[in-house]
Amino acid sequence: DGLCGPYAIANALEECCYADKEAIFKLACEALSKRRWPAVLWGGTTFGDMQRMIRACLENINHIQVRYPFMHSIPESNDIYWEKFDAIFNDQSAMCGIIGVTKPSEHWIVVSRNGNRIDFKDSTAGQPYLRKNRSSLIAGLRRKKTSQWLINRKELIVFSN
């Protein structure tokens, strides 16, 4: 289904110690405009949809802040993306995030801290988390290998305390 956006939001907020995933998923879906239904089921959620859903989900959660660090200042290359990404997540206040992927298909994956390492987790419905290695993600203009996932460099969502 095209609901990886609401699933990613629910999973990210769970990483931020907000346990009621079902309530978050429902809030996220209800935040989408009526005209987005049912097309969102097969077309997926856009970056704008994600912002709208997150705003609704965080309305009554005061201890979590959200930011979109690359929305207006897009890193110019894969190397610069990862350099800036690391700087963001080296700050201990950054608890987790969501990354927009464009290939192999439009998708959202969760980024979380695991001790000193960063985990990249796919949150496909009905399946357990699938952990991705950083080497399988590229923030360039095109993939070097078909097995790599291409990141949209603008679409990084960071949740902080």
Side-chain angles (χ1 to χ4, degrees):
D1 62 34
L3 296 176
C4 60
Y7 288 123
I9 293 168
N11 289 328
L13 290 178
E14 180 182 44
E15 293 288 339
C16 294
C17 299
Y18 190 84
D20 196 350
K21 285 172 64 170
E22 189 174 322
I24 291 295
F25 182 81
K26 184 177 178 185
L27 273 172
C29 290
E30 288 173 347
L32 289 168
S33 73
K34 302 280 186 248
R35 64 180 169 74
R36 294 286 290 130
W37 291 97
V40 71
L41 294 173
W42 52 85
T45 49
T46 65
F47 193 44
D49 291 335
M50 293 293 284
Q51 293 171 60
R52 182 183 191 134
M53 290 186 293
I54 290 167
R55 204 169 28 253
C57 291
L58 294 182
E59 195 169 287
N60 296 312
I61 303 174
N62 298 324
H63 69 281
I64 300 173
Q65 304 297 313
V66 66
R67 59 192 169 113
Y68 307 92
F70 301 154
M71 187 163 71
H72 299 295
S73 180
I74 301 168
E76 302 82 33
S77 69
N78 183 62
D79 291 340
I80 293 171
Y81 179 91
W82 291 115
E83 183 180 305
K84 290 182 177 193
F85 178 95
D86 288 339
I88 290 165
F89 281 94
N90 282 338
D91 177 351
Q92 293 300 310
S93 70
M95 299 188 305
C96 65
I98 300 173
I99 295 176
V101 175
T102 59
K103 290 191 187 310
S105 62
E106 299 283 328
H107 197 51
W108 299 98
I109 59 173
V110 175
V111 178
S112 64
R113 190 184 297 285
N114 182 357
N116 287 332
R117 93 182 236 182
I118 299 292
D119 284 339
F120 300 91
K121 301 175 189 172
D122 184 11
S123 56
T124 302
Q127 296 180 7
Y129 278 135
L130 171 66
R131 182 183 277 156
K132 302 289 288 175
N133 292 320
R134 180 183 275 202
S135 62
S136 67
L137 302 167
I138 187 158
L141 297 177
R142 63 182 58 92
R143 301 179 290 176
K144 294 176 183 172
K145 302 175 194 166
T146 56
S147 61
Q148 290 177 314
W149 289 17
L150 187 63
I151 293 172
N152 182 328
R153 289 179 282 189
K154 175 181 178 179
E155 296 177 347
L156 174 62
I157 304 165
V158 178
F159 297 92
S160 302
N161 55 13

